[in-house]
Amino acid sequence: MVSAADRAKNPTRTSVWLERDKPAGRARRSDQSASASSLDRDRIIAESVRLLDAEGPAKFSMRRLAGELGVTAMSLYWYVDTKDDLLELALDSVFGELRVPDVEGAGPDADWRDQLRELAVSYRSVMVRHPWVSPLVGRYLNIGPNSMEFAAAAQKILSRSGLPAHGVTGGLSAVFQFVYGFGTIEGHFVARCAEAGVTQDEYFAQAMGALRERPGFHEAMDLAEELMEARGGDTVEEMRERDFVFALEILIAGIEAKRGR
């Protein structure tokens, strides 16, 4: 059994993906309630994702999860050793939502730019739908099957871009660190609006109005409003979408410019 202390001491050697799988079948005989008898790892992971979406990682606990599943907390340890194991499994589960381009089957004429755009857009949507994902990405090894499929596809796409081999990882960092940051901020903004019971447009209007009332912010606000008007878009979502698309195109153009150097 891997403990939380093991993870703290040996972060590169402890992962649910490096341990022998726990049984995916029945719970212990001592916990054979109707709910426990139908328990399996897939059901536990799905409920974990639902709870993390609803309440975030700070409130997530094995006891809370067990209550939602109608079982005892101890019965969950028949399937996972620690809460960290479960968070790793949940993290890879949502990476399974990514639309990964068929890099191998697309043929030699497939445009790497289109494939990169598709993967970047999908990665952003995962970050927005599941705001709890971003703080966990750097915490775990991210070596589950879905995470590895995403990483392999991204590497193959950039390898076909014409960048020199030593520049591929830098190109990946430029694109996907940008998407990670953009999606993280967007996801937290959306969640904050939901918690406050207001739309994104209402929250934005209130924030801009509050800043406009501050005397020291007038010059900065004049410039910000001028730039937002030039960008266009009637809603926060439209403005954000224009920013994302434009920024991604700048990065793709940068990769193209680096190909011949």
Side-chain angles (χ1 to χ4, degrees):
M1 176 180 288
V2 177
S3 68
D6 292 329
R7 281 184 176 271
K9 292 176 183 176
N10 301 294
T12 63
R13 296 180 63 85
T14 50
S15 166
V16 70
W17 304 108
L18 298 177
E19 301 296 325
R20 182 175 297 176
D21 285 343
K22 284 271 191 175
R26 294 173 296 173
R28 286 191 175 93
R29 236 177 243 180
S30 60
D31 194 10
Q32 282 296 316
S33 65
S35 296
S37 62
S38 63
L39 203 61
D40 59 37
R41 181 177 274 192
D42 288 343
R43 183 183 167 205
I44 293 170
I45 295 170
E47 184 60 28
S48 298
V49 170
R50 189 193 70 77
L51 269 180
L52 287 162
D53 285 344
E55 302 178 355
K59 295 182 180 179
F60 184 79
S61 69
M62 300 296 268
R63 186 179 299 276
R64 176 84 176 87
L65 175 63
E68 291 297 306
L69 290 167
V71 300
T72 66
M74 286 305 297
S75 66
L76 298 178
Y77 291 104
W78 184 242
Y79 302 92
V80 292
D81 286 336
T82 66
K83 184 176 80 170
D84 282 297
D85 284 358
L86 196 45
L87 289 172
E88 261 195 291
L89 291 166
L91 182 60
D92 195 67
S93 174
V94 299
F95 267 74
E97 298 174 13
L98 284 164
R99 296 188 305 276
V100 179
D102 182 8
V103 181
E104 301 295 343
D109 296 329
D111 192 328
W112 64 268
R113 301 166 193 80
D114 290 338
Q115 292 182 329
L116 187 62
R117 291 184 187 103
E118 181 181 355
L119 198 55
V121 167
S122 187
Y123 188 45
R124 172 194 171 194
S125 8
V126 165
M127 289 291 169
V128 175
R129 280 196 305 273
H130 309 288
W132 53 271
V133 164
S134 57
L136 299 186
V137 167
R139 181 174 170 182
Y140 300 117
L141 292 179
N142 300 322
I143 55 172
N146 294 318
S147 297
M148 295 299 288
E149 182 185 11
F150 163 67
Q155 289 167 9
K156 289 174 183 176
I157 290 169
L158 258 291
S159 295
R160 291 176 43 246
S161 70
L163 282 176
H166 69 265
V168 168
T169 54
L172 288 170
S173 294
V175 173
F176 289 101
Q177 293 288 357
F178 152 68
V179 179
Y180 170 90
F182 195 101
T184 295
I185 293 171
E186 181 181 2
H188 284 271
F189 181 81
V190 171
R192 180 69 184 95
C193 292
E195 289 169 4
V198 296
T199 67
Q200 294 182 60
D201 294 329
E202 289 169 341
Y203 188 98
F204 179 75
Q206 290 172 17
M208 294 293 285
L211 292 175
R212 173 56 79 184
E213 291 174 1
R214 297 292 183 103
F217 289 5
H218 285 172
E219 184 177 348
M221 292 303 297
D222 286 342
L223 177 59
E225 288 173 359
E226 181 181 333
L227 292 175
M228 284 187 287
E229 184 177 353
R231 170 181 56 187
D234 295 327
T235 67
V236 169
E237 290 185 349
E238 289 174 354
M239 290 187 288
R240 188 189 293 123
E241 186 66 21
R242 292 187 184 208
D243 282 347
F244 179 82
V245 170
F246 193 82
L248 183 58
E249 292 307 311
I250 287 175
L251 291 170
I252 291 173
I255 292 170
E256 291 177 320
K258 281 289 188 182
R259 287 189 299 169
R261 298 184 181 183

